[in-house]
Amino acid sequence: MAAPVPALPDSFTPSSDSVYSDQFGFYSLDSNVPGLSKVILEKLNMKDYKEYRAALEGKGRVGFRSHKEMFQNLEETFKFCTCCSKLPSDLPDPKALKRCIKCLNVYYCSKDCQKKDWSLHKKFCKMLHKVSIDRLVEWLIHTGDLPFSTEAWSRPAKDIRCWDDWVSMQGDLTPRLDTILSRQNMTELWTNACRPRPEEAELRKSMWRVCSEFFSRSLTLGLGIQMARLDPYSRPLTVHLVGAGHNETLGARTTDMDELSRMFPGHQGLEVVMVGPEVVQGPIMRPPLRAFGPRGKVYISAYKGLYHQFWEEVVEKGEAAKPDLVVGFHPGFHASQGLGEGWLPTLLLLRDYNIPSVFTMYNDAELQYSLQILIELEMDVKDTGPNPFSSQKPEQVQSSPNKAPSYCNAFYIYFQGLLETQQEE
C-alpha cells in the first residue's frame, strides 16, 4: 500500500523535511529573514501553518475586511531591510523602513543600509519594479479578468516554436488588453494598492507577462506531447500533471487548459489529471476518466495525494487511464529531504514503467541539480534545455530580492525509462 499523505502539523514550525513545498518555502524565508514566515501568517490573519493549509484546501478562510486591507497586508510581508534583514519589530521605530523610490519593491532601515546595498541592488532595481507591478496585476487572474481571450491557431503546432510565433497568430492584443484596463477590477486594484497606478503601456506589458505564465503551462504540456511524438489526432491522450499544488489548482477552472484544443484542433480528446498532496479543492476536483468522451475537448481532473499513492489506489485498480505522458512543473525534488522522499517513489515508478516524462525548472542551477539526481537514478535523459514557452514574468526570492530573477517553466528535462548501458566485453 502507498504511504498516506502526512498529517498537517498542529502548529507551524518551518522545516526542510516536509512533502509540502509551501512549508519548505516558509523554511527558506526564515533562513534568510528570521521571523518572516510568522509575519506572513499574521498578515493573513492566521495563527499557524495548519490554518494556512486549511484555507488553501477550502476548509478555512483568509479574513480580509476589504481589498484595501488585503493589498496593504500583502505589502507588509515585503517590509524588512534588504541589507540587514531586520523586520519592523526588530527596530526601535518600525516606521523607519523606507521603500526604494525607483523599484517600490525593497525596503531599508537606514540610509547607511541603502548605500551599502546599492552596488548590488542597482543590478536588479528595474527588474524588481516589474515584479512589484506583476504581483498586483496577477490578482486579475483570480477575478477572471485575465487571461485575455485567444484566437484559433492558424498554423500547425509543429511550426509554433516560440512566443513570437504564438503571438503572431493572436493579431493585435491592444484592444483586448485595453478592455481589461477599463474594467472595474483594474480600477479597484489601483485604488486600493499601496502605490500609484502605472502608465497604461506599462500595465499592458505586465498583463502580457502575467498571461504568459498562465499559458506557459498548457503550451509546455503541448510541447511535451510533441517531444514524446504522441499523436492527439489518432486517439485520446491522458497526461498526468504530477506534483500539482496551489499554483496550478488554486482557483483553477475546468477551461484552464483549453489552449491545447487550439494547439491541436480536432484532437480525439485530451485529459489532464493533476496529482499532488497540495492540490486545492475546486471545480477540477473530480474523478479522472476511465475512457475519454468528447472529441476535441480537454478534461481536467484532480487527485489529492502523492503520485505513487494515486497509481496504486486509482490507476492500478482501473479507475483511471494510464498516462501517455507525465509532466511536472518545478518538482523541486532536489531541494529538500522531505520532497526528495516524496518524489523518489514517483521517479522510480516513472522509470520502471517507461513513461515519457517532462519536468520543468525555474533556473539553470535547479536544472543541473535535477539532472544529476536523474542520472544517479539511471534515467534515460533524452533532451534538456531552455523552454521556448517559459513564463515571461520575472520571479524574485521574496526574502532575498537582489538576485537574478527566475521564470516559471524556464528549462525542461525530457526523460523516459532506464538508461541502457554498454556492457564491457
Side-chain angles (χ1 to χ4, degrees), residues 245-261:
H246 64 269
N247 286 335
E248 296 83 21
T249 60
L250 179 61
R253 296 154 291 197
T254 57
T255 57
D256 281 356
M257 290 286 178
D258 279 1
E259 192 65 17
L260 285 168
S261 288

Side-chain angles (χ1 to χ4, degrees), residues 93-107:
D93 178 10
K95 296 181 180 180
L97 283 171
K98 302 297 181 184
R99 188 162 57 185
C100 171
I101 61 173
K102 293 184 178 181
C103 70
L104 300 178
N105 198 6
V106 301
Y107 289 81

Side-chain angles (χ1 to χ4, degrees), residues 32 91 97 120 138 166 200 202 213 319 325 340 378 407:
N32 292 324
L91 302 171
L97 283 171
L120 179 60
E138 196 168 19
W166 184 83
E200 292 199 348
E202 198 166 24
E213 182 172 315
E319 300 294 327
L325 175 71
E378 300 182 317
Y407 296 86

Side-chain angles (χ1 to χ4, degrees), residues 26-312:
F26 279 137
Y27 171 81
S28 299
L29 289 175
D30 276 10
S31 297
N32 292 324
V33 183
L36 184 56
S37 64
K38 183 179 179 181
V39 170
I40 291 174
L41 289 171
E42 287 176 350
K43 297 306 174 183
L44 291 172
N45 298 318
M46 296 173 180
K47 63 183 180 181
D48 56 27
Y49 176 72
K50 186 176 183 179
E51 284 193 4
Y52 175 84
R53 285 301 315 170
L56 287 179
E57 294 167 4
K59 301 173 184 176
R61 296 185 60 189
V62 179
F64 295 122
R65 291 167 293 184
S66 66
H67 287 133
K68 190 173 188 67
E69 180 187 4
M70 178 180 71
F71 290 122
Q72 177 63 48
N73 284 12
L74 171 65
E75 188 61 33
E76 293 285 337
T77 66
F78 289 84
K79 287 187 176 181
F80 58 88
C81 181
T82 303
C83 181
C84 69
S85 300
K86 289 181 180 177
L87 294 164
S89 58
D90 299 325
L91 302 171
D93 178 10
K95 296 181 180 180
L97 283 171
K98 302 297 181 184
R99 188 162 57 185
C100 171
I101 61 173
K102 293 184 178 181
C103 70
L104 300 178
N105 198 6
V106 301
Y107 289 81
Y108 296 99
C109 67
S110 66
K111 290 184 177 180
D112 287 342
C113 272
Q114 187 171 15
K115 289 179 180 178
K116 183 179 179 182
D117 197 56
W118 176 241
S119 61
L120 179 60
H121 179 61
K122 67 182 180 182
K123 300 176 184 178
F124 303 103
C125 190
K126 288 184 179 180
M127 181 275 294
L128 289 172
H129 179 65
K130 295 179 182 179
V131 171
S132 69
I133 298 173
D134 292 355
R135 71 168 173 256
L136 291 169
V137 169
E138 196 168 19
W139 178 64
L140 298 175
I141 291 280
H142 300 287
T143 64
D145 294 271
L146 294 178
F148 52 76
S149 59
T150 59
E151 301 292 336
W153 286 34
S154 57
R155 296 160 61 188
K158 65 181 179 61
D159 294 339
I160 306 305
R161 301 179 181 276
C162 62
W163 281 119
D164 287 344
D165 292 340
W166 184 83
V167 172
S168 70
M169 299 186 298
Q170 300 301 318
D172 185 6
L173 290 176
T174 303
R176 277 172 272 178
L177 296 176
D178 284 349
T179 298
I180 299 167
L181 279 173
S182 64
R183 288 178 183 165
Q184 180 59 35
N185 282 328
M186 181 68 84
T187 300
E188 186 171 348
L189 167 60
W190 296 105
T191 299
N192 294 298
C194 305
R195 62 191 67 215
R197 177 171 173 148
E199 296 292 332
E200 292 199 348
E202 198 166 24
L203 282 174
R204 290 190 195 98
K205 292 177 182 178
S206 177
M207 285 191 286
W208 156 242
R209 292 192 297 268
V210 169
C211 286
S212 74
E213 182 172 315
F214 181 93
F215 291 123
S216 173
R217 295 168 187 161
S218 52
L219 294 178
T220 299
L221 196 152
L223 185 67
I225 288 174
Q226 294 178 86
M227 283 192 287
R229 298 183 179 181
L230 300 171
D231 183 3
Y233 298 104
S234 64
R235 61 183 178 86
L237 298 179
T238 296
V239 179
H240 290 171
L241 185 59
V242 295
H246 64 269
N247 286 335
E248 296 83 21
T249 60
L250 179 61
R253 296 154 291 197
T254 57
T255 57
D256 281 356
M257 290 286 178
D258 279 1
E259 192 65 17
L260 285 168
S261 288
R262 288 180 273 277
M263 190 174 191
F264 305 110
H267 61 81
Q268 293 298 312
L270 292 168
E271 180 183 17
V272 180
V273 187
M274 298 191 180
V275 183
E278 296 175 297
V279 165
V280 179
Q281 289 286 346
I284 66 167
M285 184 58 75
R286 51 186 181 174
L289 300 173
R290 298 184 185 183
F292 202 88
R295 179 172 179 257
K297 299 291 185 181
V298 178
Y299 183 91
I300 303 177
S301 59
Y303 176 90
K304 184 175 179 61
L306 298 169
Y307 187 67
H308 62 281
Q309 179 184 29
F310 168 70
W311 189 276
E312 292 185 11

